Amino acid sequence: MSKLFDLSGKTALLTGASKGMGLAMATALAEHGAKVVISARKQEAIDAAVQSINETCGAQLAHGVAANAGYKEALRDLVEETHQRVGPIDIVVGNAGVNPYYGATSEISDKAYEKTMSTNVQSNLWLAQLVVPDMIEKGGGSMMFTSSIGAFKPSEMLGTYGMSKLALIGLVRNLAAEFGPKGVRFNAICPGLIKNRFCP
Ligand SMILES: NC(=O)c1ccc[n+]([C@@H]2O[C@H](COP(=O)([O-])OP(=O)(O)OC[C@H]3O[C@@H](n4cnc5c(N)ncnc54)[C@H](OP(=O)(O)O)[C@@H]3O)[C@@H](O)[C@H]2O)c1
């Protein structure tokens, strides 16, 4: 168990956490003692991730629940399942993000636009609406959403993705203003290019 800080007794819920940065963040939270509920869409990858986290920390700290973050009902079920299995939530990492379209923003279909915005932005508003009551009741909590350096400059081919990540920063700022005084912290992280299976 890492001694950098102690998250024993805390419960963390993560979306987009069966692979990549989400899995790395879930593993680090568990290594610091938190119980983690990880979610993604594919159950097989979730099961493998749960096993990997538990092996890494040498304790049964990880649980896996399948949920597509782009749908409000799925997130409601995810939060309910987390409450039943582990209890009220202290930490949220809204990491699920999609980019279903590579092309000019002016030519994007309504469907691709809505999918980008619902998964990358509104999902995190839904998570806040569902979980902030837990945090206020406990007297504090932390919600962290994964934005991107793509938020900060225009792009001819990835513009809508960048728009969604900039909107996510706007969401974080507003939720922080609203709930910071009640002890709930909101932050966005903005990774640069991170190597995953899409960029070998
Ligand atoms: N990689 C980069 O260079 C980079 C840079 C800046 C920001 N980001 C952002 O960082 C986050 C993670 O990226 P990554 O590169 O680490 O991703 P990744 O390695 O491709 O992993 C994505 C994870 O999210 C899950 N996921 C995808 N769509 C989902 C959905 N609709 N609902 C729930 N889970 C979903 C995937 O599992 P399933 O497929 O089973 O759902 C997987 O667990 C994203 O928000 C991305 O936009 C990435």
Side-chain angles (χ1 to χ4, degrees):
M1 198 72 71
S2 174
K3 296 275 184 276
L4 189 59
F5 45 78
D6 186 10
L7 296 175
S8 304
K10 303 285 188 192
T11 294
L13 173 62
L14 300 93
T15 62
S18 65
K19 285 183 295 192
M21 283 184 270
L23 175 56
M25 290 189 274
T27 305
L29 288 164
E31 282 183 305
H32 288 80
K35 285 176 261 177
V36 296
V37 176
I38 63 165
S39 68
R41 291 166 300 180
K42 298 181 200 92
Q43 188 67 51
E44 204 176 318
I46 295 171
D47 293 343
V50 164
Q51 191 180 346
S52 146
I53 294 168
N54 286 338
E55 279 172 12
T56 302
C57 2
Q60 299 297 307
L61 290 172
H63 300 255
V65 179
N68 186 332
Y71 296 90
K72 189 174 191 173
E73 286 306 317
L75 290 177
R76 183 172 292 142
D77 292 348
L78 171 64
V79 170
E80 273 178 25
E81 187 73 20
T82 302
H83 285 159
Q84 278 173 22
R85 288 208 210 174
V86 188
I89 299 160
D90 303 277
I91 300 161
V92 167
V93 179
N95 180 65
V98 294
N99 180 34
Y101 172 71
Y102 183 73
T105 294
S106 61
E107 292 170 14
I108 194 168
S109 68
D110 289 355
K111 194 174 171 203
Y113 182 89
E114 281 157 20
K115 182 173 180 180
T116 307
M117 291 298 173
S118 66
T119 308
N120 295 3
V121 189
Q122 196 167 13
S123 66
N124 293 312
L125 173 59
W126 290 328
L127 276 175
Q129 290 168 331
L130 290 162
V131 180
V132 159
D134 281 11
M135 296 180 172
I136 289 179
E137 175 127 14
K138 286 185 169 211
S142 172
M143 302 195 66
M144 201 271 311
F145 304 140
T146 308
S147 177
S148 167
I149 55 162
F152 300 114
K153 59 177 187 178
S155 163
E156 288 184 357
M157 303 307 275
L158 289 169
T160 310
Y161 173 81
M163 278 169 59
S164 73
K165 294 299 189 179
L166 185 56
L168 181 55
I169 294 170
L171 175 68
V172 162
R173 290 171 55 165
N174 283 295
L175 292 172
E178 195 175 340
F179 295 112
K182 295 176 180 159
V184 184
R185 292 181 292 114
F186 284 84
N187 287 284
I189 61 163
C190 298
L193 193 61
I194 307 291
K195 199 171 171 185
N196 65 19
R197 71 193 169 92
F198 295 115
C199 30

